Amino acid sequence: MTTTIIGYPRIGAHRELKFATQHYFKQRISAEELQDTAKKLRQANWATIKQAGIDQVPTGDFSFFDTTLDTAFLLNIVPQRYQDLKLAPLDEYFALARGYQGAAGDVKALSMKKWFNTNYHYLVPEFDRDTQIKVRDWQLFAQFKEAKEQGINARPTLVGPYTLLHLSRFLDGKQPADFVDALVAAYAEIISRLVGEGAEWIQLDEPALVFDQTDADRALFKQLYTAVLAQKGPAKILLQTYFGDVTDSYQNLTSLAFDGFGLDFIEGKVNLDLLTTQGFPKDKVLYAGVINGKNIWRTNYDKTLTLLSQLDEVADQIVLSTSTSLLHVPYTTKNETKIDPAELRYLAFAEEKLTELRELDEARKAKRDTPAVLTNRHLFATPRYDEDPAINAKIAALKPEDYKRLPARKERLAIQAKEFNLPILPTTTIGSFPQTAAVRKNRAEFRKGNITEEEYTAFNHKEERRWLKIQEDLGLDVLVHGEFERNDMVEYFGDNLKGFRFTENGWVQSYGTRGVKPPIIWGDVVRTHPITVAESVYAQSQTDKPVKGMLTGPVTILNWSFPREDVSPKVSTEQIALALQGEVLDLEKHGIKIIQIDEPALRENLPLRKKDWNSKYLDWAVPAFRLVGAKVQPGTQIHTHMCYSEFGDIIEAIDALDADVISFEAARADMTLLDVLHDVHFETHVGPGVYDIHSPRVPSKDEIVKIIHEILRRIPKENVWINPDCGLKTREEPETVASLRNMVEATKQVREEL
Ligand code: GLN
Ligand code: ZN
């Protein structure tokens, strides 16, 4: 056994799982039909992995929504309010994932958070006084059996107890230590059941080890695993880490009775030093993550073979693997017909990475340059694109004052208050309105050339007018045009800038059923024409209320694209920032007075270890954002928006973005951020989302009134805006209008009380 992967994408090469689950939610297909689709997807994956010549196939990496939720569900970590619904297991699982509103009751979804430094999101398990850990019959066992029936002795994978505790919320005064014994017993039971069914290797994912570890963390890890491993019997346990290095736990890990260690040699550069300086236990298997699981460029075989020869000097048994689950890359380049084949050969998605693993393994065993190595060497010797000297000269000439907006924010906000004369607690939305079938069809028809540009624009304008009217009728204060011309907030900009490439089927799971299709930053990025100006100007011409211009920020465009590996992210981001600065100034010139620059992904690439936060990231990411808005007039108001992540710990950096107003997700994170805003001196005006848009549930007016009070208890009322959590494009129209009506009515009620 010399090749494997940590996990494979699961949504289907054509997003079959997304469509099947959505049909199931709308009761168009039965649970059996959904299960059937899932089974076909799993079997197709296993067949692909086997055919590519990979020795050990993982299982348990399939999920209807999220694998952290699967592990919690398997362990019966299901809060009472969901159990009280008395639903069938699959529906109970979906209630946890997306909330439930129906005959059985009304509960919100579990909160959702970013998965480490990726654009994937996991559901946060909740431990409370009622938590009764026990092993349920869920997914893992059935999937293992299913693989077995297909003649594959797979390696079951699940989230390990340490990471599970690390990522969870604890309520009712409970803490991780209270659940150690029960978790140990449950994991031991899971292992023994899997062994009983014929499993040999079992993978426990412990990515939480790549965060900074305290003594208490290390002690907890040791306590958990000393006990679990003592009961593992004949099972071989693979401790799998990814997204970084295990520098502060290495000794601890290797002293425990694991059978294999999965280490990331792409993001975890330090792991190589650990092994070479501290050695690697002779009797253990090194699962070497040498193929990048998060990016789509072909692997440079020469470099990887050098790395492997260094590893060979320290470890006796090496299995070649990916640095992370392949969940973070699309299925295959085979379905890409629009990218020039000469360019396509620079790319490797999940399926191509399987071949890379096999070819590297063959070259390594052959100890000579195989034809595959020669082809690869030739590819890397061929230039990939033409540089743009002008943009690079501009970047080289940037001076500190180019990043600084004048006058200072306080002064600007006073000027803007006079200019806009908005009521206290101004209401707004985040940008997008429902992307109905008709909206998507209009775009698709235009793309296919079935309708003219005039027809396309006429439809969008009609939809904009309809929604401007709805917004006016609801009584919102600052309006948006609705983003009907956008498929995706990053793809739309990439499409209009020079330097990007797009896939047709390069979907990557973002959360649950939702996929994103990240653009590829292929070369130097340059703005060649106005992008949003016509749409914004049209919308503003239809109403007397201010309409926000709507842009995606440079850091988000970078973080939600597949970045280049041949220049630094700093330089790529500055190129994008300069392009967007041109757009901002153009919008301003055409009378758009409020411009929102979305940065939902700002936190995304924050290094996982705190010591690197500023030096490796924020020190360039924050200035890149400032560059975009630095040259506007004092009366022009710059908004930004951020979602699904915790900002508490980078709150100063967020204030330093120097936006005038920020809206962010708070509803699903239980408003904990508000306490932070209360405790620090936060100057930016804020709209903490007052309801969760990731769920179809309609919040009541009273519920929102309460939330507004919570906000006002912590933030001066002059600084507060009222808005939903995020854009509304994934929602249906009736629930959107109903929710916004309650939001505006709630705001009016609170205004009266002030
Ligand atoms: N303006 C975008 C929208 O409303 C923001 C989306 C996001 O934050 N993810 O869809
Ligand atoms: Zn958002």
Side-chain angles (χ1 to χ4, degrees), residues 430 600 641-644 665 694 725-727:
I430 306 304
H641 164 75
M642 293 180 189
C643 46
Y644 19 80
E665 165 168 345
H694 302 90
D725 251 348
C726 190

Side-chain angles (χ1 to χ4, degrees), residues 429-433 482-483 486 489 514 550-552 556 560 596 598-601 641-644 694 725-730:
T429 62
I430 306 304
S432 58
F433 281 124
E483 302 182 23
R486 303 183 192 181
M489 62 186 294
R514 191 161 149 59
M550 197 57 66
L551 306 176
T552 305
T556 294
W560 281 353
Q596 181 173 310
D598 290 327
E599 285 288 17
H641 164 75
M642 293 180 189
C643 46
Y644 19 80
H694 302 90
D725 251 348
C726 190
L728 297 159
K729 69 171 172 220
T730 56

